[in-house]
Amino acid sequence: CDRMVRYLVFSCSLNSESHSRILAEAAHTRLSELGKPNEFIDLKDKSLPYCDGDTTSDHPHIQELITKVKAAQGILIATPIYN
């Protein structure tokens, strides 16, 4: 895609049927309908290391996400809530 991604939509649940994932997908769809360049990022599909607060920022997948977040105009993060 030659359009610059301006909005990131993160789904942070490991459950494919979670309400937060459904919300993230709906936001991604709506932004697309409005002609807003966006990217849906499903963290369950990313091989991410456990955060140790020290060395994880060197991981290639983390570097990719850092680059995308820095370039984004807006970020929507849909996270699960556990009661």
Side-chain angles (χ1 to χ4, degrees):
C1 180
D2 61 349
R3 294 187 316 174
M4 181 181 200
V5 174
R6 296 180 65 190
Y7 300 97
L8 298 176
V9 179
F10 283 92
S11 173
C12 301
S13 178
L14 298 178
N15 179 353
S16 297
E17 298 177 13
S18 75
H19 291 126
S20 60
R21 186 176 202 288
I22 292 167
L23 172 68
E25 288 175 332
H28 166 65
T29 298
R30 186 64 180 139
L31 285 167
S32 296
E33 291 170 351
L34 293 171
K36 303 292 183 186
N38 72 95
E39 180 178 355
F40 179 80
I41 299 174
D42 194 342
L43 292 184
K44 79 174 182 56
D45 295 335
K46 299 280 185 189
S47 176
L48 300 175
Y50 287 105
C51 182
D52 64 8
D54 185 29
T55 61
T56 53
S57 62
D58 296 333
H59 190 279
H61 292 143
I62 299 296
Q63 284 298 311
E64 173 191 352
L65 293 173
I66 288 170
T67 300
K68 289 180 180 192
V69 166
K70 285 182 177 180
Q73 180 180 8
I75 302 168
L76 184 144
I77 302 172
T79 62
I81 297 173
Y82 299 102
N83 296 323

